[in-house]
């Protein structure tokens, strides 16, 4: 019986997230009301508030859904990375970037980033920061794996290298989100150009 309740609970939560994602994209984050999300998800307003305190919580939950999916894909890549360091790093970063607009558009990302900056000590502000930390840790994990395989120089600090790679990617992603005219292809090209000398410095000859 408890298993059925958990399944029903998870189903309701998924319906709420899907409804919020669609409405945030179609009507805009600011214009979307909790009441509209509830109606779209076919649940009561109270049910929405049982899961999420406000729209900010909902938005960060959508970010979390996106990040958890790329972390799973990234974990699979790290288990069997491409042969060359440059290929492996680029493949992991491409997983992050290619999935970045599946659930969120640029406007939604701007709101999510603003929440993390304006309300860093709130639960959803802290959760957003934790998601960034998990992504950074995964990049570090890739460098560690490549170092164990003898592909990255033994004197390289894998944590420092991974953090630099992620922080640069994150900064460029913020630029991408702020600029409506910047395409994903342009973002990937810019990051690739910036990472090239760093990856060359890491690679064991």
């Amino acid at each position: 019986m408890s298993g059925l309740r958990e399944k029903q609970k998870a189903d309701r939560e998924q319906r709420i997230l899907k409804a919020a994602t669609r409405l945030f994209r179609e009507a805009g984050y600011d214009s979307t009301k909790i009441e509209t999300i509830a109606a779209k998800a076919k649940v009561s307003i109270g049910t929405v508030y049982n899961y999420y305190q406000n729209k900010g919580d909902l938005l960060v939950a959508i970010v979390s859904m996106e990040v958890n999916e790329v972390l799973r894909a990234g974990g699979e890549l790290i288990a069997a990375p491409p042969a060359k360091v440059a290929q492996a790093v680029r493949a992991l970063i491409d997983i992050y970037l290619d999935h970045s607009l599946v659930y969120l558009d640029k406007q939604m990302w701007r709101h999510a980033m603003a929440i993390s900056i304006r309300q860093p000590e709130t639960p959803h502000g802290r959760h957003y920061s934790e998601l960034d930390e998990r992504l950074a840790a995964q990049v570090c994990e890739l460098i560690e794996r490549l170092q164990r395989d003898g592909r990255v120089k033994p004197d390289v600090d894998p944590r420092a290298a991974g953090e630099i790679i992620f922080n640069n990617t994150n900064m460029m992603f913020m630029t991408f989100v702020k600029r409506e005219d910047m395409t994903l292809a342009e973002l990937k090209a810019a990051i690739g150009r910036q990472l090239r000398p760093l990856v060359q410095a890491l690679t064991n000859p």
Side-chain angles (χ1 to χ4, degrees), residues 2-174:
S2 62
L4 177 61
R5 283 197 297 270
E6 287 301 314
K7 185 177 183 301
Q8 291 171 336
K9 181 180 177 182
D11 178 65
R12 284 193 296 270
E13 187 172 14
Q14 280 301 306
R15 294 209 313 268
I16 292 167
L17 286 176
K18 286 179 181 178
T21 300
R22 183 168 178 178
L23 289 166
F24 287 162
R25 278 182 175 273
E26 292 177 352
Y29 176 80
D30 289 328
S31 299
T32 300
K33 298 184 181 303
I34 293 290
E35 293 91 334
T36 313
I37 294 170
K40 186 80 172 175
K42 297 182 180 178
V43 299
S44 68
I45 297 170
T47 298
V48 176
Y49 282 115
N50 284 340
Y51 290 91
Y52 307 102
Q53 292 183 13
N54 50 47
K55 286 197 300 183
D57 275 354
L58 262 168
L59 184 58
V60 174
I62 295 168
V63 174
S64 180
M65 183 168 60
E66 187 270 333
V67 170
N68 284 326
E69 289 188 9
V70 300
L71 284 169
R72 283 194 292 272
E76 292 173 4
L77 182 137
I78 292 171
K84 295 184 180 299
V85 175
Q87 293 173 338
V89 170
R90 188 60 187 266
L92 183 61
I93 297 303
D94 281 353
I95 287 173
Y96 297 167
L97 300 179
D98 287 338
H99 201 284
S100 64
L101 299 179
V102 170
Y103 297 119
L104 298 98
D105 58 18
K106 289 188 178 186
Q107 174 247 159
M108 291 165 69
W109 274 113
R110 288 194 290 269
H111 280 289
M113 290 174 180
I115 287 170
S116 72
I117 294 168
R118 289 198 308 259
Q119 305 168 30
E121 296 307 316
T122 62
H124 42 268
R126 287 196 297 271
H127 187 46
Y128 186 95
S129 298
E130 289 165 3
L131 293 171
D132 267 355
E133 290 168 6
R134 289 173 65 194
L135 289 167
Q138 187 171 69
V139 180
C140 297
E141 184 184 352
L142 173 63
I143 302 303
E144 289 170 358
R145 167 64 193 266
L146 295 172
Q147 190 175 56
R148 289 197 304 271
D149 291 347
R151 306 180 210 177
V152 166
K153 293 176 181 177
D155 59 342
V156 166
D157 180 340
R159 182 177 176 185
E163 287 173 348
I164 290 170
I165 291 168
F166 175 76
N167 289 339
N168 180 75
T169 300
N170 201 29
M171 181 193 70
M172 289 302 298
F173 184 71
M174 290 175 70

